[in-house]
Amino acid sequence: MAHLQQSLGRLDIKTAGPGFIDVSAQVGLWLEDRGALDGLLTVFIRHTSASLVIQENADRDVQRDLMVKLDQLAPQNDGYAHDCEGPDDMPAHIKAMLTATSVAIPVAGGRMELGTWQGLYVVEHRARGHLRQLSLHFLGTVSR
């Protein structure tokens, strides 16, 4: 018999500099560990210079093109007043604002209801790697 529950958790994600990091598998394992069946998963990134996106997972050129376009929208050394953390920091804040810091994903049968060509990604906007933390919240039925 399924019971309605909520679960809270955190995942640490190491990044290696600008780019997309697919976290679909790690988040899927977190759901599995909790016995999640059906409900809603909310994922929140606890940073202002990285973001979360649901994006295509089949062609890496999509991610490359998106990074190029974000760099065009928020270039480094563009006369920002906020520059105490380096020339990549203010552009990273702008890129995070243009994307998302949280996503809500339906869960059915214990799996995120992502489309065939979709993945859940952390997007690192800083020039060097960081340890990024995701807060996870699942509300729904569980098998335990």
Side-chain angles (χ1 to χ4, degrees):
M1 173 182 253
H3 298 88
L4 184 65
Q5 287 188 353
Q6 70 175 340
S7 286
L8 299 171
R10 290 198 175 143
L11 289 178
D12 290 333
I13 306 298
K14 291 182 182 179
T15 68
F20 286 68
I21 299 95
D22 190 341
V23 296
S24 305
Q26 291 127 299
V27 173
L29 285 173
W30 183 86
L31 286 169
E32 184 180 311
D33 288 346
R34 272 127 198 93
L37 293 175
D38 302 312
L40 185 66
L41 170 69
T42 303
V43 184
F44 173 76
I45 191 163
R46 303 181 66 214
H47 305 278
T48 59
S49 58
S51 57
L52 289 169
V53 297
I54 294 174
Q55 200 42 258
E56 175 160 340
N57 64 3
D59 185 350
R60 299 270 309 154
D61 285 342
V62 171
Q63 297 164 14
R64 279 195 266 300
D65 288 344
L66 289 169
M67 291 302 288
V68 166
K69 190 51 69 177
L70 284 171
D71 287 341
Q72 291 171 352
L73 292 170
Q76 287 192 36
N77 302 311
D78 201 32
Y80 304 110
H82 174 74
D83 64 359
C84 61
E85 294 181 56
D88 66 324
D89 189 47
M90 191 60 216
H93 292 301
I94 294 168
K95 293 169 188 177
M97 185 181 75
L98 293 172
T99 50
T101 55
S102 68
V103 294
I105 305 168
V107 175
R111 300 178 63 132
M112 290 181 285
E113 284 282 281
L114 295 173
T116 302
W117 308 114
Q118 288 182 322
L120 175 61
Y121 294 89
V122 167
V123 186
E124 179 60 69
H125 300 299
R126 296 297 304 267
R128 63 177 177 78
H130 286 78
L131 182 63
R132 301 302 190 174
Q133 194 170 70
L134 303 181
S135 290
L136 306 168
H137 176 248
F138 173 74
L139 179 62
T141 56
V142 297
S143 61
R144 302 180 195 140

